[in-house]
Amino acid sequence: MTFTRTLSRLAILFAATCLVPPALAAPAEGPNSTFTGRDLFDLSAASDAQISPDCSKIAYVRLSNDIMTDRARPTIWLVDVASGEQTPLVTGPGSHSSPRWSPDGKRLAYVSAPEGAPPQLFVRWMASGEAARVTGLPNSPNAIAWSPDGRRIAYVMTVPDEGLSLGKAPDKPEGAKWADPLEIIDAVTYRADGAGYLKPGYDHLFLVDADGGAPRQLTFGAWNDAGPLAWSPDSRSILFSTVRQGDWQRDVLETDIYALDLAGGAPRRLTSRKGPDFGPAISPDGRQIAYLGWDDLGKGFDQAHLYLMNRDGSGARQIAAGLDRSFEHLEWTRDGRAVIATYEEDGGKRVARIGLDGRVTPLAGGLVDSGFDRPYAGGDYTVARNGAIAFTTGTIWRPAEVAVANGGKTRTLTRLNDELLAGKRLGEVRELAVRAPDGGRVPAWLVTPPSYVAGQRVPMILEIHGGPYAAYGPTFATDMQLYAAAGYAVLYTNPRGSTGYGQAFADGIEKTYPASDFDDLMAAVDTAIASGVADPDNLFVTGGSGGGILTAWIVGTTNRFKAAAAQKPVINWTTQALTADGIPFFARYWMGKMPWEDPQGYWARSPISLVGKMKTPTLVVVGSEDYRTPVSEAEQLYAALQLTGVPTALVKVPGASHGGIASRPSQSAAKAAAILAWFDKYRTKAPAGQVAAAGE
């Protein structure tokens, strides 16, 4: 019951009985301007902005945190490009996502999952507002793609398989309650972070009439076919990517592009290099295919290059080779003279036009994704027939909003969080000029507390991004703001290995991570101290995933930090490589050899090898259903610190995966509050009441 409702009921009681009401607590003198964990429930973010072919409307997914279910609930909204007026489109109980316009813009396909029911594909007729379910599927459809003639919709879905059978239990008497049957696993990849243990089955292409009817399965076999799906202009064939030869379960980066003729026949392989080819897009005249890929040299990270080939797979050539960036999401311009794509740049993401001659022309910048907790670079786009681009954008002050770029001008169309955040004092974000000891640039940003006064020294948290092949940027992040609201400056950086700075910058940690990032991170800390903001006697360090690994490595290398919080770390590369969900990947590409081939090399790069040198009080945080950096990694660090007598505690986030450790608002707020409480235990002269601000 809210405070206002309580007052209303007391007023009614007073009027009816003429009794003096009991004394009430004094009302608040004004709104709370501090950003707190409670505010996480009031945040919304835009994602998946889909512009209509005629550029008149944008359908997008709005993620709004629901305080009653403690989850972000996706709904579909429509925004008018000219006026910015918004209309709720699909907002009933359940989750609603993946809006996709028909080629003529008269219908909208989307995926909807009523509470407790499997997701289904729906089509909405925009003129009448009527919607119809066009599938009755056992599993969720993904990679939805309309045929150019608007008659059919293709998608990818998992087809269940019986799996390996080994013997059987005796027949069970009627009415008996026996234990669950044995689980028999024979797949190389048998679990996935966020999905848990995988049921036997294979991903294949399907086709359904846009007006409804029985779906038709298009691909078969013991392979996993993947989107995005690209239709030919005549609606007679579909391109997709898959690994359909060799040791496909282990050679996960050997994807090729295949063409499937809907009139019949087996899929035709169009690419054949050693390395992945994926993300195809067919030119408007149907003669050329743009796609992404790279030569597999066994490296931990390779940038995706842009290629063109003829429709039959011949004449492959790279374009825009001079742009030292990794491309994503290809769309042809309507005239067929260029391809539109995204790439990361300096902690952000942008959309660009790439001419067939390789000339690159930026079209829009400032893309962000819908995440709240940390400022990762991300975002995507769609393009209308006239070249207008819809995307999600944000600032250091606001999460993702819907924007449109056209004719060199960009307009933000939504203001989802203005009412909430306009009344909050947020930390300022400034860029730092950092140079590593070898002279290399280390992109870095510093968030100062909302009450910061120039010349004041304040405690500082070094917050390290994961990946490690990823990037932070100057965008809104709730973790950073909660830490700042508690009186800490927050330093975050893009050390060597981060994406968006070229292949050589990413290669800076090739087969040497995590030790090779130490100097970059310490240079950033020294710069923050030299700026006059960071108190050198009150330094703290945290980070998640790759940042958790580096946190553990740092406290095993230096004692300059008062306390640490290693979130979802890898502590032992041997056990991680053999228990993570990417079994075919980590040992081969990140370590270069199998654990039994180079046990000393694995040990030398594992933070557990440094435990004997660790003296820093270290909190260990992990999701209880983390299959990327499994729970056992965090537990090893916690046990080792306990055995050596270093102050430690283990925080497990119930039901949380690696990628979803902050997806539920209450857990995101509680995790930040726990880290702040740990740091405040070791912070010199910590002001009272600052921990409560993050978690209240």
Side-chain angles (χ1 to χ4, degrees), residues 201-407:
Y202 303 97
D203 292 346
H204 288 302
L205 273 63
F206 286 79
L207 195 64
V208 66
D209 192 292
D211 293 333
R216 174 161 65 103
Q217 186 172 340
L218 299 177
T219 60
F220 302 85
W223 332 93
N224 286 314
D225 303 322
L229 307 180
W231 283 86
S232 62
D234 60 9
S235 299
R236 294 181 179 179
S237 62
I238 298 174
L239 301 185
F240 62 98
S241 61
T242 184
V243 183
R244 281 182 167 249
Q245 67 285 321
D247 193 358
W248 68 271
Q249 288 200 66
R250 293 168 183 82
D251 294 334
V252 292
L253 291 188
E254 290 300 319
T255 57
D256 286 305
I257 294 172
Y258 283 76
L260 178 66
D261 189 340
L262 299 184
R268 291 178 292 111
R269 184 181 174 193
L270 300 181
T271 59
S272 59
R273 85 160 104 211
K274 176 176 170 50
D277 292 307
F278 58 98
I282 306 178
S283 62
D285 62 8
R287 298 173 61 185
Q288 297 187 87
I289 299 170
Y291 63 101
L292 302 171
W294 66 82
D295 295 325
D296 184 1
L297 302 178
K299 295 165 62 174
F301 172 79
D302 275 292
Q303 295 185 141
H305 304 300
L306 174 58
Y307 294 87
L308 289 179
M309 64 180 172
N310 297 324
R311 179 75 175 272
D312 62 1
S314 65
R317 64 185 177 93
Q318 184 180 353
I319 63 172
L323 181 64
D324 186 18
R325 296 293 183 268
S326 187
F327 290 107
E328 296 180 74
H329 184 171
L330 306 181
E331 298 278 353
W332 283 86
T333 58
R334 194 178 183 190
D335 60 12
R337 296 180 179 179
V339 176
I340 299 175
T342 61
Y343 59 88
E344 289 183 21
E345 182 75 30
D346 286 335
K349 203 168 185 181
R350 61 178 56 174
V351 184
R353 179 186 188 275
I354 299 95
L356 301 190
D357 61 357
R359 181 180 178 183
V360 179
T361 306
L363 301 175
L367 277 70
V368 301
D369 65 19
S370 57
F372 289 121
D373 61 325
R374 289 179 291 163
Y376 280 110
D380 216 331
Y381 76 97
T382 54
V383 59
R385 283 194 294 259
N386 68 350
I389 294 170
F391 59 100
T392 51
T393 189
T395 67
I396 59 174
W397 311 113
R398 299 292 184 270
E401 305 279 1
V402 177
V404 62
N406 195 11

Side-chain angles (χ1 to χ4, degrees), residues 471-502:
Y472 275 165
T475 55
F476 180 84
T478 56
D479 274 7
M480 311 307 191
Q481 291 297 336
L482 289 173
Y483 297 156
Y488 291 83
V490 187
L491 171 66
Y492 62 98
T493 74
N494 285 333
R496 241 69 65 98
S498 300
T499 52
Y501 301 94

Side-chain angles (χ1 to χ4, degrees), residues 3 26-31:
F3 184 64
E29 294 182 359

